[in-house]
Amino acid sequence: MDNSRPSSPDALPQDLWSSILDSVSSTRSIPTKQVLVLGEPSSGKSALVSALLQKPPADADKEEERSDFALGYDWADVRDDADEDTLARLSVYTIPSSAPSYTSLLPHFVPPRTCLPHTVVLIILDWTKPWTFVEELETWLQWVENWTKGDGARELEITREENRERHLPLGPGTFTHNAAGVPIIVACTKADLIDENNDVIGAGTSGMGGMVKGKGGEWEERTDGVMQVLRTVCLKYGAGLFYTTPLPDTLQVLRQYALHLLFMPPASSPGFSSGTEAPAPVRNPFPFQQKPNTLDRDRIVVPAGWDSWGKIGVLRDGFDAKLWGEAWERDLEPMEGETEPGAKRLYSSLVPDQGAKVGPPPLPPVNNPTPEQAFLAKNYDENSKKPDRDPRGAFRNPNETVATGIVGPMGSISFALPNVERALTEMEGVAGGGGSTLGTNGGGDAAARKLTTRPAARMQTSTLAVPMAQSTSRSPAPSPTLTASPSTPGGPTQHEVLQNFFQSLLSSNKERSATTTSASATRTTSPKANGNTNGADEGT
């Protein structure tokens, strides 16, 4: 008996816990499924999304919940029938418009290379606008074709081929398009309005152009014709056709069919040898057991792979499915010089366009701004007459008359400012007592007391009067004073009065400087005569 055993066990992985966690996460990971909801605004997308996710619909009275986003997103876990295990996580992406600014966002979030085998496209058509069915179908189906092409990588081409193998052509006109084999569902919402209780249907309700129901077969012929056109187009793309209403049972049938397509097992690989057993088929956890229905116009159910040209023609005699298929091709690939009508043109004769012709909003008129100087010149005369254009008017006595001059409104209060009064006080103190300049206090104090005790009315005058006489060099020049004088015709303007006033101030300063210089020179020459000079000045 060999009791020998290996000297050393097999080497363990360097990162044991990471490998264990990776294996557990791979075995217990939840797959992801996507539904792309494509539809124009107000077509009923929110009701279908709520049914797919089994969430209560948004309250129509709450405006904040009715807002459309550039790209809507919501999700929910899909559980089995026993509600025990989570089978997948269902993500729903909603595009609110076929405008390129909206559709260009989706490939960034749902790349076809990784999401194509797990995605269902749901195209929404609104029965209140049936004249738009063919045009919207062409727009959305062409977008699906471009989205599935992706970047043209080899890996994506293999995915497209494997995905298409799950859908085999069944007859003429069947699955001629949709090269990637992506599951497509065309859902016509608000089908309950097709046979509403009104006798006459106008563009405001179901939009069938005012046709009378129940009189002859015109109403049923046109609605059946619309259904035949939709079934022909869906047959070319391998798509299913469903009519829905707000009733929960029609929405539940649509949800069951969408889950059936999402969990459809991949096609088995051919080429098994005789000695090799084929793997057991994978069971779809969501079998679709609803029978097709093409008679009840408010709950049509046409699953993919069931319909054919023969079944479409049985619904109403006189419909040529081949003709409509060729017309559809002419719209997708128009040829120069083609005279045969396309599908959109044929459909417009069946369902006249009853929509409001609302074009793009008009551009605002070109605004040529007025040049700045022209604007100021235009408003100068008007603004100059306004009494409140001077902010100082808020502090002016309302009983006081204001004279408007070149430099602005001038009243008596304009010269009663503290700065002006202080300047005049200093000026009169210098001019009234020469002794203060020469070092004595008698003349200056007397002038200050004289200025302090003078009446206030002297400072509040309406105009300026500046004496034009000039003083001699031996005696200081008298101070310019403010005296009241009525304005006389032909007299000096207020601008000239102000100019003369400030010019006299400059002249007085120059004369005082000259007198001070002369007095200093005299004191230096005759120091003994200092007292006499002071006495003379005081006498003067």
Side-chain angles (χ1 to χ4, degrees), residues 222-431:
R222 293 205 177 185
T223 54
D224 289 343
V226 171
M227 187 193 308
Q228 288 176 313
V229 173
L230 295 179
R231 289 170 60 182
T232 302
V233 176
C234 291
L235 187 64
K236 298 176 69 66
Y237 289 83
L241 178 63
F242 286 74
Y243 284 16
T244 64
T245 66
L247 297 177
D249 55 346
T250 61
L251 299 176
Q252 182 62 27
V253 171
L254 178 63
R255 178 181 183 271
Q256 191 73 16
Y257 183 70
L259 295 178
H260 173 73
L261 295 179
L262 287 172
F263 287 88
M264 184 180 295
S268 58
S269 302
F272 287 103
S273 60
S274 58
T276 305
E277 295 182 359
V282 180
R283 174 182 172 271
N284 192 330
F286 295 97
F288 186 69
Q289 301 175 352
Q290 181 72 26
K291 294 182 179 180
N293 184 0
T294 59
L295 298 179
D296 299 328
R297 290 197 296 271
D298 58 344
R299 53 185 70 231
I300 297 297
V301 176
V302 182
W306 175 85
D307 213 352
S308 64
W309 279 1
K311 295 177 182 178
I312 296 174
V314 169
L315 180 63
R316 182 72 62 178
D317 294 337
F319 183 83
D320 190 350
K322 181 180 179 182
L323 174 64
W324 280 91
E326 294 174 352
W328 180 270
E329 298 295 337
R330 285 192 291 269
D331 281 348
L332 297 183
E333 298 179 0
M335 299 179 61
E336 186 177 357
E338 183 65 49
T339 59
E340 295 294 331
K344 288 188 292 186
R345 183 177 174 184
L346 290 177
Y347 189 76
S348 62
S349 61
L350 177 65
V351 183
D353 188 349
Q354 299 293 328
K357 303 299 182 182
V358 180
L363 296 176
V366 179
N367 185 12
N368 294 323
T370 305
E372 181 181 357
Q373 295 301 323
F375 175 79
L376 295 176
K378 177 181 178 181
N379 296 275
Y380 173 75
D381 295 336
E382 180 180 356
N383 293 333
S384 62
K385 297 177 183 179
K386 293 182 178 179
D388 57 344
R389 67 188 185 95
D390 186 5
R392 294 176 296 178
F395 306 97
R396 185 177 290 115
N397 188 357
N399 298 325
E400 179 183 13
T401 59
V402 179
T404 303
I406 297 178
V407 296
M410 297 173 54
S412 60
I413 197 171
S414 300
F415 298 97
L417 301 178
N419 292 337
V420 177
E421 185 174 358
R422 183 169 59 253
L424 293 178
T425 301
E426 295 176 356
M427 200 164 46
E428 290 196 5
V430 174

Side-chain angles (χ1 to χ4, degrees), residues 487-502:
S487 60
T488 59
T493 63
Q494 293 185 1
H495 181 71
E496 294 176 351
V497 170
L498 285 176
Q499 183 178 4
N500 295 333
F501 172 73
F502 289 109

Side-chain angles (χ1 to χ4, degrees), residues 101-123:
S101 57
Y102 294 94
T103 56
S104 60
L105 298 176
L106 191 58
H108 298 283
F109 298 93
V110 188
R113 181 180 301 181
T114 58
C115 300
L116 192 58
H118 312 284
T119 303
V120 167
V121 176
L122 182 60
I123 300 177

Side-chain angles (χ1 to χ4, degrees), residues 426-501:
E426 295 176 356
M427 200 164 46
E428 290 196 5
V430 174
S436 62
T437 305
L438 299 178
T440 61
N441 297 329
D445 294 339
R449 288 193 300 271
K450 180 179 179 181
L451 181 62
T452 304
T453 58
R454 66 182 179 179
R458 183 180 180 187
M459 295 298 298
Q460 300 179 356
T461 58
S462 58
T463 57
L464 291 175
V466 182
M468 303 303 296
Q470 303 293 333
S471 61
T472 61
S473 60
R474 294 182 57 86
S475 61
S479 169
T481 60
L482 302 174
T483 60
S485 62
S487 60
T488 59
T493 63
Q494 293 185 1
H495 181 71
E496 294 176 351
V497 170
L498 285 176
Q499 183 178 4
N500 295 333
F501 172 73

